[in-house]
């Protein structure tokens, strides 16, 4: 049996794909779907998210985006997501997957020059991008500020609602009979020189979930179904650490928390029809429109350790910068503010695959791209994708054992 430590989009996706293949698997997480995935905006935007200095990450993102439509279709079907009347919803709608592109806008001469450089780099790589004038940008998005001077459209970029994705993954796991142990893994168990499971924190010392479960339907497993659980451990032939920013508490991985504060606004009518981003006062800001009228504004990037406080300063910066792009945002109702922790790595690439220790593998360090890279991550771990696996090989960091 594989033990997947971490119930975010990455860990749950790995568990779901393995279970689909008929492989026995158990997930361990004190509050599945309530960590970084709960805060994430869900941008599937490899072209507009990555700068020209990050070619390898771009390759991973483009490859994973290609996998998303089939991944979403299979997930929605496995989860049994249906609309009223029992008619199966189109999978894209069930997860709010939309592929209407990202518009990166510029205000001043410096921004325009930076976007121009990025466009040239993208064009050299053969990626589809379109340079637009300010007027063309406003024709696409009439709510943009009049001061927008130009932009770069990445028409192939997409986005999805990560909260729906984790809900779908949990539902799919339940239907496949995968146990989800709601406890914190505090350490690895070793036997005969290999990792043989994880130790669990006693129930009383588990931290309260940061966010209340919003889905009534939480999968449960029966007593005795998970080997060792009664003794405070979960045993398996292999442990996959997919614990995001907390991975370094379990294993020797160079993963650090990178705090992101994010805000959800509610709009009676959609203000935007695609993702819009830009750099304001030197900091990047993005706006992601959801199908239900929600507009996600994100996100700060802060090196604050394991701090998930939402601060007045963080929210002020987000709103100040978002208003520069789309002045109408200040009229909207605030629905939700959250801070999450991205798992950052020294080279901004994830760690996916076997570690140097028998019985231990990683699916962590996805930094800003956990949702985007989930389908590719599962493909690498299941041995379906060898070419890109080398870019994510955990062994590239010498200190990892
Ligand atoms: N991928 C967006 C973020 O990390 O803020």
């Amino acid at each position: 049996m594989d033990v997947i430590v971490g119930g975010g989009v990455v860990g749950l996706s790995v568990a779901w794909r393995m279970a689909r293949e008929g492989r026995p698997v158990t997930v361990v997480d004190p509050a599945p779907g309530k960590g970084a995935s709960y805060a994430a905006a869900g941008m599937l935007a490899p072209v507009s998210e990555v700068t020209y200095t990050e070619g390898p990450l771009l390759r991973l993102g483009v490859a994973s985006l290609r996998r998303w439509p089939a991944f979403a279709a299979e997930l929605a079907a496995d989860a049994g997501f249906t609309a009223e009347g029992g008619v199966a919803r189109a999978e894209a709608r069930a997860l709010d997957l939309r592929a209407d592109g990202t518009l990166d806008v510029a205000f001043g001469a410096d921004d325009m020059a930076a976007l121009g450089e990025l466009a040239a780099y993208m064009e050299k790589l053969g990626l589809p991008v379109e340079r637009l004038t300010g007027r063309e940008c406003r024709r696409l998005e009439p709510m943009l500020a009049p001061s927008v001077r130009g932009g770069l459209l990445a028409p192939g970029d997409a986005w999805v609602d990560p909260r729906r994705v984790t809900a779908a993954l949990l539902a799919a796991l339940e239907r496949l009979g995968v146990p989800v142990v709601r406890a914190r893994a505090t350490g690895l168990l070793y036997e005969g020189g290999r990792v043989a499971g994880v130790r669990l924190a006693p129930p009383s010392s588990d931290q309260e979930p940061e966010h209340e479960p919003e889905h009534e339907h939480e999968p449960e497993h029966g007593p005795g179904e998970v080997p060792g659980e009664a003794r405070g451990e979960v045993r398996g032939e292999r442990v996959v650490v997919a614990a995001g920013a907390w991975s370094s508490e379990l294993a020797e991985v160079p993963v650090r928390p990178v705090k992101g504060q994010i805000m959800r606004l509610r709009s009676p009518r959609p203000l935007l029809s695609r993702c819009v981003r830009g750099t304001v006062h030197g900091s990047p800001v993005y706006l992601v429109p959801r199908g239900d009228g929600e507009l996600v504004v994100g996100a700060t990037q802060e090196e604050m350790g394991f701090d998930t406080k939402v601060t007045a300063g963080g929210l002020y910066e987000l709103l100040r910068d978002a208003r520069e792009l789309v002045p109408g945002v200040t009229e909207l109702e605030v629905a939700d503010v959250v801070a999450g922790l991205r798992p950052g790595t020294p080279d901004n690439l994830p760690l996916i695959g076997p570690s140097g220790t028998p019985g231990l593998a990683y699916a962590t360090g996805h930094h800003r791209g956990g949702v985007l890279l989930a389908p590719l991550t599962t493909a690498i771990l299941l041995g379906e994708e060898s070419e890109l696996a080398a870019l994510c090989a955990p062994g590239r960091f010498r200190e990892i054992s």
Side-chain angles (χ1 to χ4, degrees):
M1 184 180 74
D2 279 300
V3 181
I4 315 297
V5 182
V9 168
V10 169
L12 295 175
S13 296
V14 169
W16 167 56
R17 298 306 288 194
M18 285 183 175
R20 240 178 163 251
E21 301 248 303
R23 291 161 64 161
V25 58
T26 294
V27 177
V28 176
D29 192 307
K34 298 298 179 289
S37 302
Y38 190 81
M43 283 190 290
L44 311 178
V47 175
S48 58
E49 270 272 282
V50 176
T51 71
Y52 61 89
T53 55
E54 292 182 323
L57 187 55
L58 180 66
R59 285 180 63 200
L60 298 181
V62 168
S64 202
L65 176 58
R66 232 178 269 132
R67 291 175 175 271
W68 251 103
F71 186 88
E74 288 164 9
L75 175 57
D78 281 11
F81 274 19
T82 55
E84 305 81 43
V87 181
R89 276 190 205 175
E91 61 279 355
R93 285 175 60 81
L95 305 180
D96 205 7
L97 174 64
R98 290 168 63 187
D100 298 323
T102 304
L103 180 59
D104 204 342
V105 298
F107 295 92
D110 289 355
D111 294 352
M112 288 294 286
L115 270 192
E117 253 176 60
L118 195 56
Y121 174 69
M122 296 302 175
E123 285 157 0
K124 210 167 114 195
L125 294 176
L127 294 166
V129 285
E130 293 168 33
R131 302 175 197 233
L132 303 179
T133 63
R135 188 173 296 173
E136 287 167 334
C137 289
R138 275 182 295 279
R139 206 173 294 138
L140 287 180
E141 294 295 348
M143 299 306 282
L144 280 177
S147 49
V148 166
R149 279 184 51 179
L152 186 61
L153 179 67
D157 276 3
W159 64 98
V160 71
D161 183 343
R163 295 183 187 180
R164 291 192 192 202
V165 175
T166 50
L169 286 164
L170 286 167
L173 290 180
E174 186 180 26
R175 285 163 66 115
L176 288 163
V178 173
V180 178
V181 176
R182 285 177 163 69
R184 194 161 49 85
T186 56
L188 300 172
L189 297 169
Y190 290 85
E191 208 172 82
R194 55 179 294 128
V195 170
V198 292
R199 247 189 329 274
L200 304 178
S204 56
S205 70
D206 271 359
Q207 285 161 343
E208 285 298 310
E210 264 169 47
H211 310 289
E212 285 305 311
E214 61 180 20
H215 308 288
E216 279 171 30
H217 204 56
E218 298 261 321
E220 287 301 339
H221 57 278
E225 208 175 302
V226 178
E229 192 185 352
R231 295 190 303 276
E233 57 189 45
V234 177
R235 297 212 154 240
E237 284 83 55
R238 185 172 72 149
V239 171
V240 180
V241 174
W246 287 268
S247 299
S248 58
E249 296 194 337
L250 275 179
E252 302 227 341
V253 284
V255 173
R256 70 184 197 286
V258 180
K259 179 177 173 180
Q261 301 188 50
I262 199 155
M263 180 184 289
R264 283 172 168 74
L265 305 175
R266 197 170 289 133
S267 166
R269 282 174 308 282
L271 278 194
L272 299 172
S273 51
R274 56 182 57 69
C275 287
V276 167
R277 58 185 307 138
T279 301
V280 185
H281 307 299
S283 58
V285 63
Y286 53 77
L287 296 96
V288 180
R290 297 250 181 268
D292 58 5
E294 197 177 73
L295 186 68
V296 182
V297 180
T300 64
Q301 284 217 86
E302 304 164 67
E303 302 279 349
M304 301 283 292
F306 287 90
D307 165 34
T308 51
K309 283 195 283 293
V310 175
T311 64
L315 297 186
Y316 165 73
E317 279 172 31
L318 287 178
L319 270 183
R320 179 197 63 192
D321 297 348
R323 191 180 66 162
E324 294 280 332
L325 266 62
V326 180
V329 294
T330 52
E331 307 295 324
L332 305 185
E333 181 189 349
V334 176
D336 182 26
V337 291
V338 175
L341 300 174
R342 307 175 184 90
T345 62
D347 59 5
N348 291 342
L349 293 170
L351 291 93
I352 308 168
S355 73
T357 306
L360 180 65
Y362 301 125
T364 187
H366 293 73
H367 195 215
R368 297 172 59 89
V371 181
L372 169 63
L373 297 176
L376 181 71
T377 301
T378 65
I380 291 174
L381 271 182
L382 269 73
E384 298 162 2
E385 169 64 70
S386 51
E387 202 198 318
L388 295 172
L391 295 175
C392 313
R396 71 186 186 277
F397 298 112
R398 240 182 290 125
E399 68 265 38
I400 293 177
S401 55

